[in-house]
Amino acid sequence: KNPDGIISPTGITMRNLVVHSSFHTTTNRSTRKLIFSQQQLVEAAKSLRCEVAAIKAVVLTETPRGAFDNDGKPTILYERHYFHRLTSGRYDSDPVLSNKHPGGYGKYSAQYGKLNKAIILDKKAALQSASWGAFQIMGENYKAAGFSTIEDFVKNMETVQGQLDAFINFIKKPPPLQSALQNK
């Protein structure tokens, strides 16, 4: 049941969408479903000229646990290889925080701990080295997501609408992403 991110009629991501047909646009915090109103999804789909189901499939694929963690903070995944690249390997003495090889993600509950340690070393690089929210947009893509600073991007990840707006902006920036979403 590992979605592949490709929305084809017979692909695993589409099967995931069908299996999760109970995807809620409202949330019960115990089920960890993302809070999107149907109106928000419809407006986003219109803006992107795609189907609502395509947006739902992205969310289900990227954040099956929800857009926010148990503490109400945006779901993140710390990417040590981004931190390595953004800091030219200066902090490779701690391979959990900085490593030229991807992986080593660990538990969801450990992500903010790693991010916070990296922030002490290099705040901007650390914030850019995590993928954020329901759509798991890499912080490094903050400009493509419509923000002038990484800090503004991170602040907007604190709300569902902020995450949705960042996704819309991000998908529209590099034309192949919007086309791929539209064509499933």
Side-chain angles (χ1 to χ4, degrees):
K1 296 197 168 126
N2 293 318
D4 58 9
I6 300 169
I7 307 172
S8 65
T10 58
I12 194 157
T13 297
M14 189 56 80
R15 287 194 305 271
N16 189 43
L17 183 59
V18 172
V19 168
H20 290 43
S21 61
S22 63
F23 179 87
H24 300 287
T25 55
T26 59
T27 190
N28 169 340
R29 274 295 189 198
S30 67
T31 63
R32 308 303 306 152
K33 299 295 182 188
L34 181 62
I35 305 170
F36 279 139
S37 71
Q38 186 62 26
Q39 185 62 34
Q40 284 173 308
L41 292 171
V42 167
E43 288 176 17
K46 282 181 186 174
S47 178
L48 294 169
R49 297 189 317 271
C50 70
E51 296 177 32
V52 169
I55 297 171
K56 287 181 179 182
V58 172
V59 173
L60 287 170
T61 301
E62 293 297 329
T63 52
R65 303 181 106 224
F68 299 95
D69 68 13
N70 292 333
D71 296 325
K73 296 183 290 191
T75 296
I76 65 164
L77 184 64
Y78 179 77
E79 304 267 0
R80 67 187 187 176
H81 60 289
Y82 274 78
F83 193 68
H84 164 84
R85 183 174 45 78
L86 293 168
T87 62
S88 301
R90 284 192 311 272
Y91 304 105
D92 284 2
S93 60
D94 186 342
V96 172
L97 298 181
S98 181
N99 196 307
K100 66 180 176 181
H101 302 290
Y105 300 109
K107 296 179 179 183
Y108 287 108
S109 60
Q111 300 306 305
Y112 272 98
K114 289 189 279 188
L115 176 64
N116 289 332
K117 287 179 182 177
I119 285 171
I120 293 168
L121 302 173
D122 186 323
K123 182 178 180 179
K124 288 187 187 310
L127 294 175
Q128 291 180 61
S129 298
S131 55
W132 293 85
F135 302 99
Q136 288 296 282
I137 300 170
M138 283 303 301
E140 183 179 43
N141 295 313
Y142 69 91
K143 287 182 182 175
F147 301 92
S148 58
T149 68
I150 183 61
E151 292 83 4
D152 287 343
F153 170 81
V154 169
K155 180 72 175 156
N156 274 273
M157 292 298 105
E158 294 176 3
T159 68
V160 172
Q161 189 62 53
Q163 291 182 20
L164 190 57
D165 291 344
F167 174 70
I168 292 167
N169 290 333
F170 180 67
I171 292 297
K172 285 182 173 182
K173 282 290 181 202
L177 291 180
Q178 187 170 2
S179 176
L181 190 66
Q182 291 166 343
N183 294 318
K184 301 178 209 157

